[in-house]
Amino acid sequence: MDKLFAKFANATAKITGSPPAFLICVLMVLVWAASGPLFKFSETWQLVINTGTTIITFLMVFLIQNTQNRDGAAVQTKLDELILTSAAENKFMGIEKLTDKELEAMHARCTEHAEMAQLRLDKIGEEREKRTKSKASPRIKRSPAKRPPAKDAPARRVKTS
């Protein structure tokens, strides 16, 4: 039963979320509006569109909620797997079940850690910039030291042009 409903909900969500489905709905509303003069804009004419849209909306809310619940659970499961297989703290597993206050406290802690990490990165950047500037400053060029020729080394020939 669950698998059948999941397949139905997925298929319905895919179809109703498509551009052709939207265009069909727009055409239906236009046909209904154009038929107003034919039915003299009667209460029955109005009741047709009101009843139809109410029933469709009522049913779609449950289908969309089911699809969202499954998508949310799938994303949470994937994130939990990433947390387990990484160097991240395992206490982030299942935080979607925490209260709002607990979530706010964890968010504040993460924000604080992010700010501290940014400060460290800024300090490292400043250090690199200082080192780069000190390397770029002009240095006194020294001429290479002249060594006496080795005892048994052959004499160098100087080309003359």
Side-chain angles (χ1 to χ4, degrees), residues 74-128:
V75 168
Q76 287 303 320
T77 303
K78 291 174 184 179
L79 289 172
D80 289 348
E81 180 63 19
L82 288 172
I83 290 169
L84 283 173
T85 58
S86 71
E89 297 178 30
N90 286 345
K91 64 177 101 176
F92 285 97
M93 297 275 302
I95 65 170
E96 67 278 1
K97 296 174 185 134
L98 297 177
T99 65
D100 287 343
K101 284 185 180 180
E102 292 170 327
L103 280 173
E104 287 173 16
M106 284 191 88
H107 179 72
R109 189 175 129 247
C110 287
T111 302
E112 185 180 318
H113 285 179
E115 288 171 355
M116 289 175 13
Q118 187 61 50
L119 287 173
R120 277 187 247 134
L121 286 173
D122 291 345
K123 285 181 183 178
I124 290 170
E126 289 172 7
E127 274 300 313
R128 284 187 180 150

Side-chain angles (χ1 to χ4, degrees), residues 20 38-39 42 46 77 107 114 121 130 133 152 159-160:
L38 181 70
F39 293 101
S42 67
Q46 292 178 14
T77 303
H107 179 72
L121 286 173
K130 285 179 187 176
K133 285 182 181 177
D152 297 329
K159 286 187 178 180
T160 57

Side-chain angles (χ1 to χ4, degrees), residues 148-156:
K151 281 187 178 181
D152 297 329
R156 288 189 179 179

Side-chain angles (χ1 to χ4, degrees), residues 60-73:
M60 287 303 295
V61 164
F62 294 101
L63 288 174
I64 291 168
Q65 189 61 52
N66 177 270
T67 304
Q68 288 292 313
N69 289 347
R70 281 185 292 102
D71 287 349

